[in-house]
Each structure stands twice: as structure tokens, then as C-alpha cells.
Amino acid sequence: MSKYANFTLAEFIKSDTAAQKGIDNAPDFDEVAHLDELIGTILQPLREAWGKPLIISSGYRCKELNKAVGGAETSAHQYGYAADVQVTRSKDFDAFIAFAEDWLKTNDVPFDQSIRESSKTAYWWHIGLRNSKGLQRRQFKAINV
């Protein structure tokens, strides 16, 4: 994944929960290949179009880590097909979401889900390249957790 100017494998597997619970969150060869596809198809081109940093708050999650963080049993994160993204300044988040969703549509980018997610204390954009069955449903959603 060093071929991408703005992303590293380390940021896609880093997890405070995994560190605290002693969970080995190392992806296998296929999962790294899926992350590579996610970055090459969506994240790196989007980062270049946006022109500002994108922060990966959650990338690959092994099954044990996914369960520990309350992820869905079929989460695309478990296959290396999804990432949760934040931007450096919270005031840019709404503009980023509008930009990202327009970019996906305008460029006919293949993807599974674009989900604007928020809680009382945080916000993030979930982008999935494929779901657990390999499908690309092109869904746009918003969820408050």
C-alpha cells in the first residue's frame, strides 16, 4: 500500500480497542488486497479531489475486534472493504459529506454504502466498497447512533 501518497496499512489496522484488549488485528493477504482496492478505487482519488487530509478512524477489523466494538456481524470492515473517515476540522464535515457523495455520483464510482454517521460526541463517514457478499449496492444513508 506504499504506492498511495496519503494512506498506510498501519492506519487501517490501528485500534485502541484492540490494543486495550490484546486483540491481534493483523489482516491476511486477501484482506490487505481488499484494503488496497478500497484505497485505490475510492479513498486516494477522493483525497486528491478533496485536497485536504482524510483521517481513518476505523479500517480493517478482525472478527474479534468487530465484535468488541459492536460492529454488525456482516460488517464490510471484517473483509477490508470499508473504512470510517473523519476530516481534520469538524466544521468541514458537512461540506466533506456533500463533496464525497457528489464525487461518488459524478464520477460513477463503484461502492456499496456511503453512510453519514454521528453520535452525541462524534461524527464519521462510513464508506464501503463491497459488502460481505461482494455486492456494490450504491446506497446512501444517514445514521445517528
Side-chain angles (χ1 to χ4, degrees):
M1 291 193 354
S2 61
K3 63 186 174 184
Y4 300 111
N6 300 106
F7 298 100
T8 65
L9 178 59
E11 68 189 305
F12 283 85
I13 63 174
K14 180 183 181 297
S15 166
D16 292 341
T17 301
Q20 292 167 354
K21 296 184 177 281
I23 298 170
D24 178 7
N25 193 43
D28 66 20
F29 180 82
D30 288 338
E31 293 153 350
V32 171
H34 298 167
L35 288 168
D36 188 65
E37 184 182 6
L38 171 66
I39 295 166
T41 302
I42 298 174
L43 295 173
Q44 185 63 45
L46 176 60
R47 165 61 176 85
E48 290 168 8
W50 175 242
K52 299 175 188 172
L54 300 178
I55 300 162
I56 305 303
S57 58
S58 181
Y60 170 72
R61 296 184 207 141
C62 67
K63 291 189 186 311
E64 184 179 358
L65 176 58
N66 191 63
K67 185 175 181 179
V69 300
E73 285 185 29
T74 59
S75 174
H77 286 275
Q78 297 175 105
Y79 306 95
Y81 279 137
D84 294 339
V85 178
Q86 294 178 312
V87 293
T88 54
R89 297 180 340 171
S90 60
K91 69 180 187 174
D92 290 340
F93 187 67
D94 289 334
F96 169 71
I97 291 294
F99 181 89
E101 291 187 345
D102 182 64
W103 181 85
L104 288 169
K105 293 173 190 173
T106 302
N107 294 287
D108 198 28
V109 177
F111 71 98
D112 182 49
Q113 291 184 317
S114 167
I115 307 174
R116 175 194 184 119
E117 297 188 68
S118 61
S119 68
K120 291 180 182 178
T121 59
Y123 58 90
W124 61 98
W125 179 55
H126 170 92
I127 184 63
L129 179 62
R130 300 177 187 281
N131 71 4
S132 62
K133 296 178 182 176
L135 300 176
Q136 293 178 306
R137 300 170 290 175
R138 298 185 60 84
Q139 297 176 337
F140 291 94
K141 298 180 177 185
I143 299 173
N144 292 316
V145 292

